[in-house]
Amino acid sequence: MTSERLLHIVGSGPAGLAAAHAALDAGASVCLIDDNHAPGGQIWRGGPGRWTDARATRIWTALHDHPRFTHRTGTQVIGCADANTLLVETADGGAAIPFERLVLCTGARELSLPFPGWTLPGVTGAGGLQALIKGGMPVRDRTVVVAGTGPLLLATAATALRAGARVAAIVEHQPWSRLTGFGLALLARHRGKFVQAASLFAALRAVPYVTGARIVAATDDDILRGVTITTGGKEVTYSCDFLGAGFGLVPNTDLARALGCATADGAILVDATQETSREDIWAAGECTGIGGVDKAVAEGRLAALAALALHPSARDIPGLRASRAFAALLARAFAPGDALKTMCRPDTIVCRCEDVTAAQLLPHRDWREAKLATRVGMGPCQGKTCGPGCAFLFGWTPPDSRLPIMPASARALSRIE
């Protein structure tokens, strides 16, 4: 591959695959780097042969075995050696990958908000539960509850049903009035999304859908036995084997910040062409703001073309605008409300890596002070879980990115020159 037309892409979800496809179509060579062993990311999880979105299959068919396409699977980016060199870890150890043009498609993580019992075996994020089921975790004849806020609850419940689980309830934090407004906005401006939502509701018509509710506690005797919620001033308990608690998504900006790219409102800051504050790095998809698969695909194409100094075609523009408008609608409709803060009690663990409770964190003014006194954020996740949680609960600025951005073995680090 010649460096003049070589584009490096991190992340092989919808944004990364769309970027790779656009770059190949433009005559460039592509090196796609991903820590998973199959392409697709979270949205198109499962790899070729299990996808239901025709776009995924079409894009992968064009990429697979293409002479100008290199797919580095099982390759985790753990940081950067300098401004234009990625540090990665593979099964063989560590390596350095230099780049001249880079597209970041690093996706998002779930926002985990603490409540009593959220660290029990059987309790995961809603997206985490969906990923486990798609990955083959058996749930047939087991009972599932999904709770929190956002469309991901419906998607997770539908995935569980298809896998043979019993879904006892979908517990949505937003009130019915806001959900109705969201549905009407979809009908008026995003007809395709409205049809998708209606199809999901039809598939879930037998499942109780509780609105204006929040979790009180997950109940246990060492493993999850049920979940108690409050709605309309009453408490209701559902017995369950699995609880998927999801409160939205948080853009994954760790690598971008390590590379010196600016962020704003928790997402990678990009201009109209997806270029970051660095002139040789672009970003696309959920890492630039949560918006779903259509936004990811549209931004991935735009980022790759811009990185190659090309312009999008006229047919790309309407889809890009529509996907960004949908992202803004999602953000307004499903922003976690302050009432969710009441789920966290003084004795509730907030930092699960270091067993730090809310009561231990409350006396402190900011993340740095709390970290010095309590070890919050000093465990294996490096604040990736508790950092956004503390930002929501206490208004703290999340921790800075530090190297390595992911846990790495000494063997890998020692082999990087």
Side-chain angles (χ1 to χ4, degrees):
M1 294 184 182
T2 60
S3 62
E4 291 78 7
R5 299 284 288 174
L6 172 59
L7 184 64
H8 285 83
I9 302 170
V10 176
S12 65
L17 292 178
H21 189 210
L24 288 182
D25 274 353
S29 298
V30 171
C31 178
L32 182 61
I33 303 166
D34 195 77
D35 57 351
N36 291 305
H37 291 279
Q42 172 63 11
I43 297 177
W44 290 341
R45 181 171 286 275
R50 300 185 65 181
W51 290 327
T52 58
D53 191 328
R55 290 173 296 183
T57 301
R58 176 176 55 82
I59 291 173
W60 184 247
T61 299
L63 296 179
H64 187 56
D65 289 335
H66 195 289
R68 287 185 276 107
F69 177 64
T70 299
H71 192 196
R72 296 190 60 148
T73 61
T75 303
Q76 181 167 271
V77 180
I78 59 176
C80 50
D82 55 44
N84 288 86
T85 305
L86 299 177
L87 300 181
V88 302
E89 180 174 13
T90 69
D92 297 325
I97 302 177
F99 67 87
E100 291 188 7
R101 282 168 297 278
L102 178 67
V103 178
L104 299 176
C105 303
T106 49
R109 302 187 182 94
E110 286 195 80
L111 173 61
S112 296
L113 298 181
F115 54 86
W118 76 293
T119 61
L120 284 170
V123 181
T124 66
L129 178 59
Q130 185 185 44
L132 288 169
I133 295 172
K134 287 183 177 181
M137 183 180 75
V139 294
R140 181 168 296 280
D141 298 327
R142 308 296 294 277
T143 302
V144 170
V145 171
V146 290
T149 188
L152 184 56
L153 303 186
L154 300 179
T156 299
T159 298
L161 274 184
R162 287 194 295 269
R166 296 183 295 267
V167 181
I170 301 169
V171 181
E172 170 60 61
H173 171 62
Q174 305 300 341
W176 186 250
S177 58
R178 178 172 287 193
L179 298 173
T180 301
F182 176 72
L184 291 173
L186 288 184
L187 181 61
R189 298 190 292 275
H190 306 279
R191 189 66 60 91
K193 297 292 186 184
F194 179 83
V195 172
Q196 290 176 16
S199 177
L200 268 179
F201 270 111
L204 297 166
R205 59 188 177 277
V207 177
Y209 187 61
V210 186
T211 63
R214 66 180 183 276
I215 298 170
V216 175
T219 56
D220 72 298
D221 52 7
D222 294 329
I223 63 171
L224 178 70
R225 297 298 182 187
V227 57
T228 299
I229 68 165
T230 179
T231 178
K234 299 178 181 179
E235 290 191 357
V236 180
T237 299
Y238 296 98
S239 297
C240 60
D241 301 297
F242 298 101
L243 169 62
F247 302 94
L249 300 174
V250 179
N252 180 357
T253 63
D254 295 336
L255 180 56
R257 287 183 289 139
L259 289 164
C261 301
T263 60
D265 299 322
I268 302 174
L269 183 65
V270 294
D271 65 12
T273 67
Q274 303 303 127
E275 189 173 15
T276 70
S277 59
R278 280 192 49 175
E279 63 180 14
D280 52 355
I281 300 178
W282 292 257
E286 305 286 64
C287 60
T288 69
I290 308 306
V293 63
D294 292 342
K295 172 178 174 290
V297 169
E299 288 187 352
R301 283 186 52 81
L302 178 60
L305 293 174
L308 298 170
L310 300 173
H311 298 288
S313 67
R315 64 182 174 84
D316 289 328
I317 302 302
L320 186 63
R321 289 174 177 167
S323 65
R324 287 174 173 171
F326 176 68
L329 177 62
L330 272 181
R332 292 193 301 270
F334 294 102
D338 285 345
L340 291 175
K341 296 178 181 178
T342 63
M343 297 190 304
C344 184
R345 302 173 187 170
D347 61 348
T348 301
I349 291 173
V350 175
C351 173
R352 61 191 306 163
C353 294
E354 297 291 335
D355 290 337
V356 182
T357 65
Q360 293 172 290
L361 295 172
L362 279 170
H364 304 292
R365 295 170 295 180
D366 54 32
W367 177 267
R368 182 177 183 277
E369 182 179 292
K371 185 175 180 180
L372 289 171
T374 69
R375 292 187 56 82
V376 64
M378 296 181 72
C381 91
Q382 299 181 4
K384 293 176 178 61
T385 299
C386 58
C390 287
F392 177 78
L393 291 171
F394 311 123
W396 294 349
T397 300
D400 290 335
S401 179
R402 58 191 175 93
L403 300 179
I405 60 173
M406 298 292 291
S409 67
R411 174 172 170 263
L413 293 174
S414 69
R415 292 187 62 180
I416 296 172
E417 296 179 358

